[in-house]
Each structure stands twice: as structure tokens, then as C-alpha cells.
Amino acid sequence: MIQRLYASTFSLARYPLLLAALLLIEPVFSSQYLIRIVNTMLIQAVAALGVNVVLGFAGLVSIAHAALMALGAYTSALLMLKLGMPFPIAFVTACLFCGIVSGFVGLLGNRVETNYLLVITLGIHVAIFLVIVNENWLTGGASGLFNVPKVEIGPWRLANDRSYYWLTAPVFVAALYFAERLRHSKPGRAMIAARLHAPAARMSGINVNRYRVWAMVFAGVYFGASGSLFAHLIGFLGPEDFSLSLTLLLTLTVVVGGLGSNVAACVSLVILTAIAEAFQQAASSWLLFYGILIMVVMVVAPRGMAGVAESVVERIKRARSLVRRPLDRPSL
Amino acid sequence: MNSTILVQTILSGLAAGGLYALVAISFGIVYRTTRVFNFAQGDFGALGAYVAFSVLAALPGHYWLALVIGCLAVGIFAAAVEFVAIRPLYRLGELYTFITTIGLSFAIQSGIQQIWGPFVRVMPNPFGDRAVKVLGLRVVPDKIWIFSIAILLTGVLFVFLAKTKYGTAMRACAQDSRVANLLGIKVGRMFSGAFFLSGMVGAFAGILIAPITYLQPTMGLQLGVPGYIAALLGGLGSMPGALIGGFILGIVQAVSVLVIDPRYSPIVTYVVFVIVLLVRARGLFGEETVQGRLV
């Protein structure tokens, strides 16, 4: 499975270019406010890519995204705070731990119809939050965890947002790279096949259950990474940083972008963040807005921005050629 | 722990279980007709409770009127949502309708918070919460009432869905909507009807449970999740199964409060669920839903 990820043929030049571009435009985010938003956005983009693997590739509806991010955040912060581990080790541990927990949830989900995974993941969400709120000696309880250590990697100490950007940007690009590689590899295609038509995928010899678990593991690693980055950005961790509304935002991001498209998910996250920043005063009604927006997008453009873009391209092609092709081919 | 407390606890569990069974059945009505896994089922109950609360605030004492208005309002709301937001998605498959109902669930929850405020409210109790001595046990009448009403309503729904023309037509839609259409069943009307009925029953459960659990915007999840688990426990689409599943879950929940750390009591429901998954994932009377192996 892991080796197969590397066996896919895909142009690699674009990722160093993307990273270089991200690092070059850093001075544009001049104010403290802007760089904080961009950092948060890059961190959420990693999580959104994870949601895209679970929901967009494998078609599994889970709502433990925010809880798994919380797990990664607290794991990473506590390892550095209580055990004095260096950041890279804490980061990797958080990723692996979340991956394992997420995979375990996926195993349970295989016992029932896929829809019931939602109920299981809700249970995971509730369980993780009860532990965070009730075990004060470990997590600081409802008041939160103060003095989360700043990141030090070798000689560099990332004490402020501007230096932290040099960590979030490469991690985001790496996350995008691996998500794209997954999409163009056998496991990724198998996951997408399982979403589009599970019985047909089974007939073709795809072990649907196994790939569903792998999708959960892969996404879990992403949530762990995202949570860990978030913990050390602010220096303070509270349970309300990872509410169900964050889960809903990430789900909405993938729905607006279009199920299965990594790049579209990142673009739609930028758009949604911009909207959220423009209407900051209405913060209490976010959940209402997200919920209604999900329903509207589903009716208006069920395949999201990626689907709309694809059908536009398709129309242009059809207009230019004399061959008539059906418009509604199943998309990846 | 003396036996009186235990008996009373079990009785409360049975009352709550009856309501979970109603939610499970209302969830099943939609699922067996349209194949939509409605995650907003519990929130229909919350919405009904809040509407009834407002009617009661305007007309104190007219409890039955509030009950009827609450049920009808939610039923109409559910049918309208089906027509506007879910009907265009049937052809795209279950995943899309499912995601839509998640959006709906959060929208209702947050909408309630916008309209009625985020704080907990108390619903007047119509059945009297003064305990009565029966056979040497202190029994609160509302528990008995709720338990009886739940059983009665389940029976009525069972007859309606299993024995009448409409119930059969609903099942026919689920099995093959195209053939049902050819046979003269108005499939669209059936789908709306299923949502209407399910919204009414869900609201009914929400209104009945409101005096016990108090009103809060997130009560949809506290009502919905046990409902789904009861539906799975009994086996999807089995009505007696839903009733028994609801009772088992209600009793386990009520007794667990006596046994474990109350701070962690919300977990119990999910633990029961996971145990069911590992032991008998198809439920007590359900059709085969397990895919056998874990990996």
C-alpha cells in the first residue's frame, strides 16, 4: 500500500514551485492579523484535505474531524509540555496516534451500513471531549491548556506567526502532494470506486472494506498534523477550539469544492475563510449559515466547484467539436 | 442501592426507551420509504418541543392543542424540506441526501438557538410530576403515561405501515420506485408523506420528552442518537425491534447513572452501540446488514 503511493506517475515539479510561490508572497501578509489568518487557513487546509480523503474519495460520512484534530493538538502539546520532547517527534507521534485511532473507528464502521459510521464518529467526538473537559490534571479541563511550548526545530525557534509560516506552508504543500499522489494511485482510485459504486468495486476485486479503513487512517494522520500545528500556533489550547462547527466547516469546504478534488477543496477553503472574515459580527449564527449552505450547494451544484468547472470545460469542448458526447459522465 | 430506587430507575428508563423507540420508528418510516438516512430526525423532535413550548407560553393550559400544533408544524416543515432540498438529490444517491440531512440537522439546531436563545428552558409537565404510591413504590404518573402512549402509538403505526394500502405502497417505493410508479403509486407524494409522518412522530417524541429533559437547542442529538441506535438494535425497518431496542437502551442508560461516574454518562449510549456492533450488527430482528469481516 505505502509503496504503491510512490509508484504512480505524476509530475513533481509543481510542488517545489508552489512552495516557492507561497514563501515568496509571505511579505504580502504584512499585518499580524493577516498572517494569523493565513496560518490558520493553511492548517485548516491540511485538515480539509484529510476530510476530502474520507468523504470525497471513500464516501465515508464522519463527524469526528474536529475531535481528531483536538486529539492531535493535545497529544503534541502534552508531549512537549509534560515530557519535554522535541517538536518533530511530538508532531510525528500525534500524526501516528490520530491515524491509529481513526483507523480503529474505520474498522468499527465496517461492521454496519456505512451511514452508521456517523453515529460512531459522533461517539468518538463526545468521548474525546469528555476526557478533555473532565481530566483537569492532564488537559487543563474546560479552562484550557496554557503555555503550550513554541516550536523549536534545530537552531530555529518559531516564536511568532511570521516565522511559523515557514513551517505551515511546507507542511501544507507536503499534505497536498501526498493527497494528490493518493488520488492518482491504485488505493486512491479504489477508494473513489468504492464511493461511486461499492458493489461494482467489490465485483472488480477491490477490497472495499480494507480501503475504507486505509482512508480513515490516512485522514487521521492529516488531522493529527493539522491539530499539532494548531496547538503551537496560538500557545493556548481550549476544548472550544475544536467544536462541531469546525467539523461542519471542513465538511462544507469539501462539499463546496466538490467531492474528491484536492485543489478545489483548498480553493473553497480560501473563499469560505474570506466570507467568514468579512462577516465576523454574525459569529453566533455560523452553524446556521454552514448548515443552510451545505443544503443549497447540494441542490444547486452537487459536484461542487470542481463539477461546475468540469462541465464548463466540457461544454466548450463540445461546442468546438462536431462529435456529440453525453455531458453527464461520472467524474472522479 | 435499595430495590425501590432500582425499580423507579428502570421505570424512567422504560419511559425514555419508549420515546427513543418513537424516534427510531420515525427514522425508519423515512428510511424504509426513501432510503434517506435522516440525521436530522432528533432535531425534528427538538423543533416540535420548542413550537409546543411557544404555543403553551401563549395559551397556558392548552397542552393538547400545543401537542397537535407542534406535530403538524414539524410535519409540514419536514415535507417542505423534502420537496425543496432532498427531492433533487435522489438520483445522485444516498451519500448526497445524507450530507444534506447533516446540514439540515445543524441548521435546525442553530436556528432554534437564534429564535429561542441558547439557555435551558423548562416545559410544564401535563401529567403531574407528584409521585403516587402504587404497590408500595413511589411512581411518577408522567412516566406511566409516556410509556403507555409510546406503546399505543407504536401499535397504531405498526398497523398503519404493515396492514394498510399506504404502508405497503411506502415499502414498494423503497424497493423499486420506478416499478412502484408504473403500478400507479404516486411516488413523489409517498416520499413527501413519509417525511410528513416522520416529522409528526419525531415531534411527538420531542414534545413528550421535553418536560423530563428540559428544552435546549442541542436536545436533537440527545434524542436522535439513541433513536438511531434503537433502530439498529432492533434491526432497521423492524417496528417491534425498534420498541424493544428503545427499551433496552433506555434501561441501560438509566441504570448506568447509578453505577458509573455521572460525568461520563453520555458515553454509555455509544458504548452500548459499539457492543451491539461487535456482537450482533444486524440487530435483533433485522435483515442482514453486516459485511461480515472487519477488513
Side-chain angles (χ1 to χ4, degrees):
Chain A
M1 158 91 194
I2 305 293
Q3 296 92 331
R4 292 273 168 76
L5 274 179
Y6 292 95
S8 60
T9 51
F10 197 74
S11 158
L12 300 185
R14 63 186 71 183
Y15 296 100
L17 288 175
L18 175 66
L19 180 58
L22 274 177
L23 293 177
L24 277 176
I25 59 169
E26 187 257 341
V28 173
F29 315 122
S30 46
S31 65
Q32 175 62 28
Y33 167 75
L34 261 181
I35 192 84
R36 168 63 55 88
I37 287 180
V38 170
N39 269 333
T40 313
M41 201 154 63
L42 288 172
I43 291 169
Q44 283 181 347
V46 175
L49 288 169
V51 178
N52 193 32
V53 170
V54 171
L55 180 66
F57 287 15
L60 296 171
V61 185
S62 146
I63 52 175
H65 312 318
L68 285 166
M69 280 173 71
L71 195 66
Y74 275 91
T75 305
S76 169
L78 290 171
L79 285 177
M80 283 182 75
L81 198 61
K82 309 261 173 185
L83 301 181
M85 283 189 180
F87 172 75
I89 297 180
F91 178 80
V92 171
T93 313
C95 292
L96 292 178
F97 184 47
C98 284
I100 291 167
V101 171
S102 184
F104 176 71
V105 177
L107 280 178
L108 278 178
N110 274 341
R111 292 278 293 162
V112 267
E113 286 192 24
T114 43
N115 292 341
Y116 265 99
L117 184 69
L118 184 70
V119 181
I120 303 174
T121 51
L122 193 58
I124 295 291
H125 180 95
V126 171
I128 288 175
F129 271 79
L130 282 178
V131 170
I132 287 174
V133 171
N134 288 325
E135 304 301 325
N136 290 348
W137 59 273
L138 184 67
T139 62
S143 54
L145 199 62
F146 295 90
N147 309 324
V148 179
K150 289 291 178 191
V151 174
E152 290 184 39
I153 303 177
W156 297 288
R157 189 164 187 282
L158 310 178
N160 60 16
D161 279 50
R162 202 154 295 286
S163 54
Y164 205 71
Y165 180 82
W166 288 78
L167 173 65
T168 52
V171 172
F172 162 70
V173 172
L176 182 63
Y177 166 69
F178 284 117
E180 273 298 301
R181 286 299 290 269
L182 178 69
R183 192 180 164 206
H184 294 277
S185 67
K186 183 188 160 185
R189 290 178 197 279
M191 288 169 193
I192 290 168
R195 180 192 89 212
L196 291 175
H197 203 268
R202 282 183 218 277
M203 295 267 186
S204 322
I206 293 170
N207 187 338
V208 169
N209 284 4
R210 179 186 299 165
Y211 284 119
R212 279 178 179 157
V213 175
W214 275 115
M216 291 293 283
V217 171
F218 193 96
V221 171
Y222 271 42
F223 297 141
S226 174
S228 168
L229 287 178
F230 188 84
H232 304 284
L233 169 72
I234 315 267
F236 164 78
L237 262 189
E240 64 283 348
D241 291 330
F242 305 99
S243 59
L244 274 176
S245 76
L246 175 61
T247 299
L248 200 63
L249 168 66
L250 293 171
T251 306
L252 178 67
T253 302
V254 171
V255 168
V256 169
L259 297 185
S261 171
N262 293 318
V263 179
C266 299
V267 174
S268 85
L269 182 66
V270 174
I271 293 171
L272 288 172
T273 308
I275 293 175
E277 288 304 322
F279 297 100
Q280 261 185 321
Q281 60 277 19
S284 68
S285 54
W286 272 140
L287 215 51
L288 181 64
F289 174 72
Y290 291 154
I292 292 178
L293 199 56
I294 281 187
M295 293 165 74
V296 169
V297 170
M298 275 292 164
V299 172
V300 175
R303 290 207 271 118
M305 296 192 311
V308 170
E310 199 177 303
S311 59
V312 166
V313 169
E314 192 75 23
R315 270 172 203 283
I316 293 170
K317 273 188 190 162
R318 279 219 311 181
R320 290 172 58 180
S321 75
L322 296 172
V323 186
R324 298 197 70 74
R325 278 193 303 269
L327 252 182
D328 49 353
R329 285 185 322 189
S331 77
L332 278 184
Chain B
M1 180 166 42
N2 59 23
S3 61
T4 324
I5 291 184
L6 188 65
V7 171
Q8 280 166 16
T9 310
I10 287 179
L11 201 61
S12 319
L14 281 174
L19 296 175
Y20 296 157
L22 283 182
V23 177
I25 290 164
S26 59
F27 165 78
I29 291 171
V30 163
Y31 188 79
R32 65 196 273 168
T33 310
T34 64
R35 292 282 160 208
V36 171
F37 190 103
N38 182 10
F39 186 64
Q41 199 61 57
D43 298 282
F44 284 165
L47 195 61
Y50 270 93
V51 170
F53 173 82
S54 289
V55 173
L56 269 180
L59 306 165
H62 292 70
Y63 184 83
W64 299 108
L65 184 69
L67 187 71
V68 171
I69 292 180
C71 289
L72 279 176
V74 176
I76 292 166
F77 172 79
V81 165
E82 190 274 340
F83 187 75
V84 174
I86 297 180
R87 186 150 313 182
L89 301 179
Y90 289 126
R91 58 188 180 80
L92 292 168
E94 283 178 45
L95 180 63
Y96 290 85
T97 53
F98 188 23
I99 295 173
T100 302
T101 64
I102 294 173
L104 175 66
S105 166
F106 284 103
I108 293 177
Q109 192 182 314
S110 178
I112 287 175
Q113 203 163 328
Q114 297 299 314
I115 298 172
W116 283 282
F119 23 80
V120 174
R121 292 166 180 272
V122 180
M123 182 106 160
N125 194 333
F127 306 112
D129 41 16
R130 296 246 314 283
V132 183
K133 281 251 183 212
V134 179
L135 304 174
L137 291 171
R138 291 163 45 78
V139 173
V140 186
D142 63 354
K143 303 276 194 292
I144 304 277
W145 272 107
I146 288 173
F147 179 72
S148 326
I149 291 175
I151 296 249
L152 193 70
L153 188 59
T154 308
V156 171
L157 284 171
F158 181 74
V159 171
F160 175 78
L161 291 173
K163 306 290 176 204
T164 65
K165 202 169 62 170
Y166 296 99
T168 321
M170 281 181 172
R171 269 210 308 270
C173 293
Q175 279 183 353
D176 195 328
S177 57
R178 219 176 303 171
V179 172
N181 211 352
L182 286 173
L183 293 171
I185 297 170
K186 301 269 185 293
V187 171
R189 211 177 287 175
M190 280 294 149
F191 283 5
S192 291
F195 268 85
F196 177 75
L197 188 62
S198 138
M200 291 229 319
V201 177
F204 190 84
I207 294 168
L208 281 189
I209 208 170
I212 301 172
T213 59
Y214 307 123
L215 288 170
Q216 44 193 335
T218 54
M219 71 187 273
L221 282 181
Q222 294 156 5
L223 192 61
V225 170
Y228 306 129
I229 296 174
L232 186 83
L233 245 172
L236 274 178
S238 159
M239 308 255 297
L243 199 57
I244 291 169
F247 287 150
I248 292 174
L249 196 61
I251 290 172
V252 170
Q253 261 189 343
V255 173
S256 71
V257 174
L258 302 175
V259 180
I260 67 161
D261 183 347
R263 291 180 313 174
Y264 282 99
S265 60
I267 297 280
V268 171
T269 321
Y270 299 102
V271 172
V272 172
F273 181 51
V274 168
I275 291 171
V276 172
L277 285 192
L278 294 176
V279 176
R280 188 178 168 84
R282 72 166 109 158
L284 298 168
F285 306 97
E287 53 209 54
E288 183 70 46
T289 59
V290 192
Q291 292 148 12
R293 309 203 317 272
L294 275 176
V295 177

